[in-house]
Amino acid sequence: MPASALAALFATLRSALGRIAVIDMSLPAGRSAGIDREVVFGSCGRPAPEQTFLGRFRQSGGHRDVYALAAADRDSPARANLLDTVDRSRKVVFFADSMDQVEPIADLVDDGRSLVLCLGGHRSAVVPPALASWLKQRRVIALTPADAAPVFLWIVPAAAYDVLCRQLPLAPASPTPAKRLAAADRTIAPHATLVLAVPADAPSQPVLVAGALIHDGGYRSESEGDYSWLWTGPSKHFRVLLTGFPATATKLNVSIIKTEDPRNLSGLRVLIDGRHVGHRFSPWSDVSGKVTVDLAAPVTDMTVLSLVCPHMVPDGSGHRHLGLCIDRIEFAA
């Protein structure tokens, strides 16, 4: 999905809803990572092996779980605590890749919240029978980048629709043939369309800061103001789940701002999805520098970057064993 379309979508949501928190229910297709810091990733209906794998990771720099929700989990602690992870004074928007993913969490998308459906798969805009009445209480806005086909459907409460009509330049949607609406698998028919204006300052080189990383390390990110950093450890093997790849990305730049042992830079090993890959190291000092990794196409939203450093060093208190200190990962062309 183009980074410009994502930037335009977030700009539209912010302008219409004010400061928002986003709950993405479609991990590993976590397109919003690094674009908005208030992201909470979740997973709906993933196969058991994937759920087990994702269970090793923590998001938001290691501060939050990756939530796994299903229709049978309506009384689970993860479900009960899901909305408590975000500031309730902010608007919440749910993301999903298909209406099948919406079904387990439809009751969470109440009249105070909306949902964005990403049009990707062949069933993305098909309504399961169980959600037909739920959808009738809402309005649908097709969000379209100026240079592409519709990529998002914004499903909003009926009461909010009139407000959005006054705030945004919505255009009436083309009518859907009655025969298509009567099909057994009903396709969502938008009520209006909106062309997304790409912000002039849309990032050309998206950055994942340490405080936004989804990783399986033992330590959480630290911060001072808006700046964050993250130490790897205590395991020598550190994995990051990378999401939100721009279509133009051909390499990764990993910023290592410090290590306690220079041999961690000279002896560093890098893996992509479990396979060793070559990398280039550009030193800034004896204990810092930039690691550049070339990406092989195609890159997916389930890509795992692994950094293996050979020497873990106890910190001053002796309570932690540290490897590399990372402050950002950049997608570059």
Side-chain angles (χ1 to χ4, degrees):
M1 186 136 338
S4 58
L6 288 170
L9 171 62
F10 278 98
T12 298
L13 292 176
R14 287 190 184 95
S15 65
L17 299 177
R19 191 179 183 191
I20 64 169
V22 180
I23 296 183
D24 187 325
M25 302 309 301
S26 58
L27 191 75
R31 289 160 300 277
S32 49
I35 295 179
D36 190 295
R37 262 194 199 182
E38 300 299 331
V39 175
V40 177
F41 287 98
S43 173
C44 284
R46 307 301 307 179
E50 291 188 23
Q51 295 284 22
T52 301
F53 177 73
L54 294 173
R56 296 164 42 186
F57 289 81
R58 297 294 180 270
Q59 60 188 299
S60 300
H63 293 264
R64 293 175 175 168
D65 290 338
V66 173
Y67 294 98
L69 298 178
D73 297 335
R74 297 193 182 277
D75 298 323
S76 69
R79 181 184 183 85
N81 295 333
L82 176 61
L83 293 181
D84 289 334
T85 63
V86 296
D87 187 336
R88 289 182 178 272
S89 67
R90 302 174 187 175
K91 296 293 184 180
V92 177
V93 177
F94 290 82
F95 274 67
D97 281 328
S98 71
M99 290 300 289
D100 290 335
Q101 291 183 346
V102 176
E103 188 169 353
I105 52 116
D107 60 313
L108 297 179
V109 190
D110 57 26
D111 289 343
R113 301 175 175 90
S114 59
L115 179 135
V116 173
L117 189 66
C118 302
L119 299 181
H122 68 286
R123 290 183 58 83
S124 289
V126 174
V127 186
L131 291 181
S133 60
W134 177 88
L135 190 62
K136 286 181 180 179
Q137 308 302 317
R138 288 160 175 80
R139 301 292 181 266
V140 180
I141 303 171
L143 304 175
T144 309
D147 57 351
V151 293
F152 304 107
L153 292 180
W154 188 10
I155 303 175
V156 303
Y161 181 71
D162 292 339
V163 176
L164 293 175
C165 286
R166 295 192 295 269
Q167 292 180 338
L168 299 173
L170 302 181
S174 301
T176 302
K179 182 178 180 180
R180 188 177 180 186
L181 287 175
D185 285 330
R186 301 184 60 179
T187 301
I188 297 177
H191 296 82
T193 62
L194 174 66
V195 176
L196 297 172
V198 179
D201 59 349
S204 58
Q205 186 167 308
V207 174
L208 298 178
V209 298
L213 294 180
I214 306 172
H215 67 85
D216 70 348
Y219 308 129
R220 298 178 176 183
S221 64
E222 303 167 67
S223 63
E224 184 173 338
D226 290 334
Y227 180 68
S228 61
W229 63 92
L230 172 67
W231 280 99
T232 70
S235 170
K236 296 179 179 180
H237 200 145
F238 176 78
R239 301 170 184 85
V240 181
L241 184 65
L242 297 175
T243 63
F245 278 92
T248 57
T250 60
K251 59 185 177 182
L252 296 173
N253 292 323
V254 183
S255 173
I256 300 175
I257 59 173
K258 188 178 182 182
T259 182
E260 298 294 349
D261 190 329
R263 294 177 296 175
N264 285 332
L265 303 179
S266 60
L268 179 67
R269 290 185 295 150
V270 180
L271 298 84
I272 296 289
D273 290 336
R275 297 183 178 181
H276 286 90
V277 296
H279 69 278
R280 300 180 296 281
F281 182 70
S282 304
W284 298 329
S285 71
D286 291 341
V287 293
S288 64
K290 179 179 70 174
V291 174
T292 300
V293 183
D294 292 323
L295 297 171
V299 179
T300 70
D301 267 333
M302 191 62 175
T303 297
V304 177
L305 168 69
S306 301
L307 303 175
V308 185
C309 59
H311 302 282
M312 310 305 293
V313 181
D315 65 4
S317 66
H319 295 154
R320 299 193 303 174
H321 284 75
L322 309 177
L324 306 171
C325 188
I326 299 168
D327 71 344
R328 66 183 57 209
I329 298 175
E330 299 174 327
F331 301 116

